[in-house]
Structures are given as C-alpha cells and as structure tokens.
Amino acid sequence: MSTVIEQPVEARLVAAAPRMPNIPATLHYDRDDPFAVRMTFPAPATLEGVEVCWTFARELLAAGLQEPEGHGDVRIRPYGYDRTVMEFHAPEGTAVVHVRSGEIRRFLDATDELVPTGLEHLRLDLDHDLAELIRDA
C-alpha cells in the first residue's frame, strides 16, 4: 500500500482580469506526516517562476468545505454549489483560487483511507522524532 497520495486539481486563479485563468496544482498527503496536507503550484503558474508549496492542516481543508476556516496564512471557505475558495497569504501578497469541492472531497476520502481522521496520532513516532531533534541540536 502506498504511503503517499498525490492528486492533481484544477485551480482557478481569482484575479483582477475578467477571465480567471486555470492553473494546475497538486494536493499531496503523506501518512508519515498525518496531520498535514500540501498544495503545490508549478513554476509556470507562479509570479516568481518557481514552484510554490503551501503546507496546512488536513483538518483545515476538511472544515473549510463546510464553513469559513483559518485565521493565518491559509484560509478556506465554501463558495457556491461546488466550489471552495482557498486563500494563501504571504508578505508578497495574497493568492486566491477556486477549486472544485468534489476534487477536494475525493482527495480527503483517499487520505482518510490511508490514515483515518482522528487516528493521526497513531502514526507518530515521538521517540524517533525526539531523537532526531536531539541529534540535530
């Protein structure tokens, strides 16, 4: 069984221009980091011309499908019938994208099969993580 899930999604960039461009993105989940989800935007889709990766809580992604969630760098909220708005805040500015809620639900269902929600703590190896911290100190 794979320990990683990667799912391409189509994100629609909300911009000042009348036509919102579609940009590719990838949702990523690794059962060795069971609380986190990553969303990666490839270099051609970013203003800087480099790949950009945002890491945030899987719980935030799931909750944001139902109601507005997040107070920090990543904020998620439902929008319309089957869209979810994701806001990414950085010192350089804010990016706002729409993603189909169905794609996010499909991704979350796959992560839940890998590590059931509420059982993430069972995947943690605190002794190993502590040993790594001490070794690096």
Side-chain angles (χ1 to χ4, degrees):
M1 174 187 246
S2 176
T3 63
V4 173
I5 296 168
E6 287 191 347
Q7 179 180 315
V9 295
E10 187 176 283
R12 180 166 284 179
L13 181 64
V14 177
R19 171 103 169 87
M20 296 187 297
N22 291 332
I23 55 174
T26 303
L27 288 169
H28 178 96
Y29 182 79
D30 185 337
R31 78 174 180 189
D32 290 335
D33 190 5
F35 291 100
V37 167
R38 286 197 329 253
M39 188 166 195
T40 305
F41 298 93
T46 68
L47 294 175
E48 299 83 15
V50 296
E51 182 178 274
V52 174
C53 183
W54 289 84
T55 302
F56 49 95
R58 174 170 71 159
E59 182 180 49
L60 173 66
L61 184 60
L65 288 171
Q66 306 303 317
E67 61 186 15
E69 289 291 333
H71 301 286
D73 295 344
V74 179
R75 301 172 192 174
I76 302 172
R77 69 181 181 276
Y79 180 79
Y81 173 68
D82 190 42
R83 293 280 179 189
T84 299
V85 175
M86 303 178 78
E87 295 180 16
F88 301 97
H89 297 261
E92 301 80 23
T94 300
V96 179
V97 297
H98 289 186
V99 178
R100 287 187 183 97
S101 300
E103 289 184 303
I104 295 172
R105 280 190 204 94
R106 208 168 20 263
F107 173 75
L108 288 171
D109 287 347
T111 69
D112 206 50
E113 286 182 24
L114 199 58
V115 178
T117 301
L119 300 179
E120 295 92 347
H121 66 283
L122 298 177
R123 295 290 317 153
L124 299 178
D125 184 351
L126 296 178
D127 291 333
H128 175 266
D129 293 344
L130 183 58
E132 289 291 313
L133 277 173
I134 293 170
R135 182 182 61 100
D136 291 342

